[in-house]
Structure formats: C-alpha cells, structure tokens
Amino acid sequence: MAMTMKVYEVDRYGNTVRVVQPETEVVPLERPESTDRYPACECAQCKGQS
C-alpha cells in the first residue's frame, strides 16, 4: 500500500507557501521504530556542526 507525501514550508505569517518537494509516492514502513524522541536533524547546517 503506497501513500503520497508533499513537503512545503510556510512563512511565519501563513501567507507564503513554497513547495520544497513535489508530491511523490512513498512506501510506509511495515514496523516503524518505537521511540519517544525526535530523530537528529539531518539538514546541512546541523550536520556541519557535528
């Protein structure tokens, strides 16, 4: 079973919406990892701080 996902960002006022990743089909995990923490950020800025 597939699902679609679209990534976008909205400015702080909710006026401007920019599509970061167009709608694409993704396959959900059969068994998602169970945790109470957010994963580490993987953006270029945060990765550079390591």
Side-chain angles (χ1 to χ4, degrees):
M1 181 172 109
M3 62 183 185
T4 58
M5 185 167 96
K6 180 178 181 178
V7 180
Y8 59 93
E9 64 183 22
V10 180
D11 72 1
R12 72 178 77 196
Y13 307 106
N15 298 326
T16 306
V17 177
R18 182 175 78 91
V19 174
V20 177
Q21 174 70 40
E23 190 170 296
T24 186
E25 192 172 290
V26 294
V27 178
L29 298 172
E30 286 187 27
R31 287 189 173 219
E33 184 179 324
S34 179
T35 180
D36 61 347
R37 297 179 3 157
Y38 286 110
C41 182
E42 294 184 8
C43 78
Q45 182 178 6
C46 290
K47 281 186 169 182
Q49 295 177 0
S50 303

